[in-house]
Every structure is written in structure tokens, then in C-alpha cells.
Amino acid sequence: MAPLKICVIGAGVIGLSTAVCIQQELSTHVTVTIVADKFSPNTTSDGSGGFWGPHLVNPEQAGDINKWGNLTFDYIFDLFRSEHGGEVGAQLISGYCFSESAVLFVDKCFGVRNLTKEETFIHPEIRNGQTLTTVMIDVKAYLPWLMKKFQANGGIVQKRHISSLDELSPYYDVLVNCTGLGSYQMLGDHDLRPVRGQVFRVHAPWIKHFYVDIDPTDPDNEYYVLPGARDVVVGGTSQVGNWNTQVNISDRDHIWNGCCKLLPSLKNAKILDEWVGLRPQRTRIRVELENKQTNTGKRVIIVHNYGHGGSGVTLHWGCALEATKLVTHALKMGVPKSSL
Ligand SMILES: Cc1cc2nc3c(=O)[nH]c(=O)nc-3n(C[C@H](O)[C@H](O)[C@H](O)COP(=O)(O)OP(=O)(O)OC[C@H]3O[C@@H](n4cnc5c(N)ncnc54)[C@H](O)[C@@H]3O)c2cc1C
């Protein structure tokens, strides 16, 4: 029997990981194509801090977030321990969270505890906080690594903009939608909104711990310093509904002054880059099956995997496994109706 044809739309961390996961789980039964209009290093995922820690998620989806997040934590931890750890910049990282609500969803992290009195002196206006150890990955290295794996497994790649899934449905058995914020236009899903994030990347090899001071009730209080394998990410902003991808001068000053107050030695760090990305936020992250009728009357099976907000890296492997299960189920059993 000829292999079934699967098309994954999107080549950010969600699309690439889902495509590789489908290849791994369904191996010889399918051929997988990735179609996207942007590839690494030009996706939103490339600019992400690569930090494992659920951010800007809906507590009402806590069950899924814990499940997907825990699977992804284990996956990044295993990568860190494997021979590939250096290539993808996977690391264990310890540090400090300076706001009470920052440490939701961290069952998996190691050594989570309240700060001691001595540790509170790290921050000039310390209220309280926690210390913990989590995992990180260098997304700029990880995405090309996933792509190499995908192509080595026989995956096909096409660079192309898709205005409607109907353009692809005649040619594939299953479409897997991993377009992030692109689904706002492509599907007309207006439950999606951008959450604009601006960050610096700096050279500061003396910084070995992360520092996070985010108050979810105060949009002006979001400061983080995340030392990754190649540089240190210094942020940030979370501006809901703002589609502007240009670096903004007043955000720049706000972030830099706030983070230098948090960690004064940053003042001497060499700035390597400044960047803005739009997080694809949705009321609920959408990982589900849809059985849709196209304009031509044909039925098409779609597996959606988008809307991960500020947690795409944190949840990606768990979501890839879930989406792969849905693809397998669709191929075997048929599909339920969409909720959109
Ligand atoms: C400043 C900042 C810092 C962040 N830090 C972290 C962090 O430390 N940890 C964490 O977990 N998350 C972080 N995030 C969030 C994370 O970056 C996102 O959740 C994640 O990148 C979403 O991945 P994605 O693959 O869905 O989207 P994207 O990376 O945007 O990929 C979408 C893909 O779909 C393609 N596409 C879209 N529409 C179409 C179309 N119509 N036709 C063809 N192709 C299309 C695009 O070309 C692209 O290939 C951060 C985000 C920002 C902005």
C-alpha cells in the first residue's frame, strides 16, 4: 500500500517537532511534508528564550498544560543528558523567581523552595520568591537540528504561503496546522491574539543563573534575565493585542533599566541584538482534530496544534505527541466534529 501523505503547515518549534514526532511514531506508513512561508532563523520560535516555564497560559487549561509541560521537561532533560545536548544547547539552569505567582506549574522542576533571608538580598526590593532548577534549550540551534532530522527521515520541505487549507487538502490525507499566529488570517480564528514581546540578547558570560521578576497583575513589571548556551536573553514585554514587530525605544529603556536594577552587572554587557516577537495567545491552546468540508465538498482531516502563547517551547514536545496521537486516531478511526 502506498504511504499516506501528511502535510504539516508551519516550521516553528511546534511544526518541526510535530513533523519529526509523526515520522518517529508512524515511520514507514507515511510521507511527511512541511509547508511554511518562514523557516529558521526567521520564525517567532527562533527569538524565544528557550526557557522551560509555563508563561501566559490559562489556568483553566492546567490539566493539559501540566501533562504537555511535564513531557517536554523530560524530553529536554533527556536531550541535555544525551550526546546531542551540546549541539542543541540543552542545559539545566538554576535561578530565582521574585514573584509569588511566577512558580505555578513547576512540579517537574528540581529543588523548588522559598528563598532564604540571605538570598532575598539578591534583589534590591525583594518581596519574596523561590529558587528552582529547570531546563533550557537554544532554539536557534534546536530548530536546524530538528530540520536536519526531518530531512534525514525522508521529509519534504516546501516554502510557500497558504491562504486557506483548501489549497492543500486535495493533495494530502491529513493536514496538521502548526501556523501559530498565522491561523488568525488563515483560519479566521479571532480567538488568537498577539502578545508582543521585546528582548535584548547580550554577551554576559559571568551570568550563570536566571532571574525572573514577573507580576502578572502589572504589565509594566516583567523583567527576566535568562542565560542560555550562546547568549543571555534580557526582557521583556507582554503587550496583548499589539501587532507591532518593530523595536520600540521606550520599551527598550524600560526593559534595560528594570533589568539593570535587578542585576546591576548587566550594565557592562555587550548588546548583541534586539528583537520583537508576537506570541500566539489563545483562550485555550488548540490541539484537536477537525473533520471539515472544503469548498469543493470534499472532507478533509485536520489536526490543529497552535496558540501556545508564551509557552511554545515549554509545551512543544508534549503537544507534538498529542497531535501525533490525533493523526494516528484519524487515520484509523475517523474524526469527531470541530469545536471552532
Ligand atoms: C520575546 C519572546 C520570548 C519567548 N520566550 C519563550 C520561552 O523562554 N519559553 C517558551 O516556552 N516560550 C517562549 N516564547 C513563546 C514561543 O516563542 C512561542 O510560543 C512559539 O514560538 C510558538 O511556536 P509556533 O511554532 O506555534 O509559531 P512560529 O514560531 O511563529 O511558527 C509558525 C510557523 O507557521 C508558518 N506560517 C504561519 N502562517 C502561515 C501561512 N499562512 N502559510 C504558510 N506558513 C505559515 C510560519 O512561517 C512559521 O513557520 C517567547 C516568545 C517571545 C515573543
Side-chain angles (χ1 to χ4, degrees):
M1 201 176 80
L4 294 164
K5 292 163 86 180
I6 314 274
C7 181
V8 175
I9 308 106
V13 71
I14 300 299
L16 279 172
S17 57
T18 303
V20 167
C21 194
I22 292 170
Q23 284 179 323
Q24 281 178 4
E25 300 292 314
L26 299 173
S27 60
T28 52
H29 307 297
V30 295
T31 56
V32 186
T33 302
I34 292 178
V35 174
D37 57 7
K38 286 189 188 148
F39 290 86
S40 181
N42 300 314
T43 69
T44 306
S45 303
D46 284 276
S48 135
F51 184 79
W52 189 97
H55 178 44
L56 299 170
V57 288
N58 179 354
E60 286 174 21
Q61 207 176 3
D64 287 336
I65 286 157
N66 272 319
K67 180 176 64 174
W68 298 331
N70 289 349
L71 287 165
T72 309
F73 186 100
D74 287 344
Y75 166 84
I76 298 176
F77 182 72
D78 288 348
L79 267 179
F80 155 69
R81 301 245 310 144
S82 79
E83 67 202 272
H84 305 292
E87 197 180 342
V88 298
Q91 62 184 106
L92 267 184
I93 176 100
S94 303
Y96 303 96
C97 300
F98 295 118
S99 54
E100 283 173 71
S101 50
V103 289
L104 290 172
F105 303 114
V106 291
D107 309 357
K108 269 285 169 184
C109 295
F110 306 146
V112 183
R113 61 162 174 80
N114 290 334
L115 296 184
T116 60
K117 196 170 162 230
E118 291 73 28
E119 284 167 323
T120 61
F121 290 113
I122 293 166
H123 190 296
E125 292 162 14
I126 191 69
R127 300 176 292 276
N128 50 37
Q130 284 81 25
T131 178
L132 56 89
T133 299
T134 183
V135 289
M136 263 179 95
I137 195 157
D138 177 1
V139 184
K140 284 183 198 298
Y142 178 52
L143 296 186
W145 182 81
L146 282 174
M147 178 58 94
K148 209 164 78 184
K149 210 166 167 175
F150 175 72
Q151 290 183 303
N153 288 338
I156 302 159
V157 178
Q158 281 179 23
K159 184 169 168 37
R160 176 178 162 193
H161 180 78
I162 302 298
S163 301
S164 155
L165 290 176
D166 293 356
E167 293 169 28
L168 297 169
S169 52
Y171 309 104
Y172 296 95
D173 296 295
V174 178
L175 303 179
V176 186
N177 172 25
C178 304
T179 52
L181 200 55
S183 281
Y184 184 91
Q185 287 288 344
M186 193 184 71
L187 297 185
D189 182 354
H190 291 183
D191 187 21
L192 264 175
R193 63 200 84 87
V195 180
R196 180 180 176 280
Q198 181 164 322
V199 288
F200 292 90
R201 284 182 183 265
V202 305
H203 181 66
W206 61 89
I207 298 175
K208 304 289 187 198
H209 292 85
F210 72 80
Y211 301 84
V212 173
D213 183 7
I214 298 177
D215 179 351
T217 61
D218 177 3
D220 287 334
N221 191 148
E222 171 172 332
Y223 303 110
Y224 52 87
V225 179
L226 309 173
R230 79 172 66 203
D231 51 29
V232 181
V233 175
V234 177
T237 59
S238 286
Q239 296 158 354
V240 181
N242 186 340
W243 289 87
N244 187 353
T245 54
Q246 299 302 309
V247 168
N248 174 295
I249 307 289
S250 71
D251 287 338
R252 173 198 284 167
D253 292 344
H254 178 77
I255 296 164
W256 192 249
N257 294 336
C259 287
C260 285
K261 195 167 166 199
L262 184 63
L263 201 60
S265 74
L266 260 181
K267 278 185 187 148
N268 292 322
K270 182 175 174 215
I271 295 173
L272 304 173
D273 191 23
E274 289 178 71
W275 179 79
V276 170
L278 305 180
R279 303 172 181 95
Q281 195 185 41
R282 203 171 179 274
T283 310
R284 295 179 75 84
I285 297 164
R286 189 177 188 202
V287 185
E288 72 173 18
L289 211 55
E290 181 179 14
N291 179 3
K292 186 176 171 254
Q293 188 153 17
T294 67
N295 293 341
T296 59
K298 191 191 161 206
R299 296 213 78 81
V300 55
I301 296 170
I302 305 166
V303 172
H304 296 284
N305 186 7
Y306 68 90
H308 300 79
S311 302
V313 178
T314 303
L315 306 177
H316 77 280
W317 194 253
C319 291
L321 287 166
E322 180 96 25
T324 301
K325 257 193 229 160
L326 294 176
V327 170
T328 311
H329 174 78
L331 294 175
K332 281 191 189 149
M333 317 287 293
V335 288
K337 284 245 179 291
S338 158
S339 68
L340 186 67

